[in-house]
Amino acid sequence: MERVRTFSINLPFPLYEKLLNKAGKGHVSTFIKNLVEKELSEEEEKLGQAYKKCYANNPHLLEEAKL
C-alpha cells in the first residue's frame, strides 16, 4: 500500500464548492492527487526537453546526463 501524508489547505468557499462539484463528494483527495501528479509530470517533461535542447549541441554531455 502506498504511504500517504495528510495535510490541510485553505480555499475560498466558492472555489471549494466548484472543486466539490467537479470531483464529487468523497473524491476530492483523488481529484487533487491526479491534478498534482499531472502538473508535476508535465513540468518534469518540460525540464527534460529543455535539458535536451541545451545539450543538443554537445552529444557527449547529453549521453553523460542520460536524458
Side-chain angles (χ1 to χ4, degrees):
M1 182 172 182
E2 186 177 39
R3 288 180 49 172
V4 297
R5 190 73 166 188
T6 301
F7 67 99
S8 66
I9 59 172
N10 296 312
L11 298 174
F13 192 74
L15 180 58
Y16 173 75
E17 284 183 317
K18 287 181 180 180
L19 176 60
L20 192 58
N21 287 335
K22 179 76 174 175
K25 189 172 183 176
H27 301 283
V28 172
S29 290
T30 300
F31 184 81
I32 291 173
K33 176 183 137 325
N34 291 338
L35 286 175
V36 170
E37 284 177 338
K38 180 181 178 205
E39 180 68 23
L40 292 177
S41 177
E42 289 172 359
E43 287 299 316
E44 288 173 356
E45 179 65 26
K46 287 177 189 175
L47 184 58
Q49 289 183 10
Y51 278 130
K52 286 180 183 179
K53 188 175 182 180
C54 288
Y55 287 123
N57 294 330
N58 192 331
H60 174 73
L61 288 178
L62 184 61
E63 177 60 30
E64 203 170 291
K66 296 183 181 178
L67 296 175

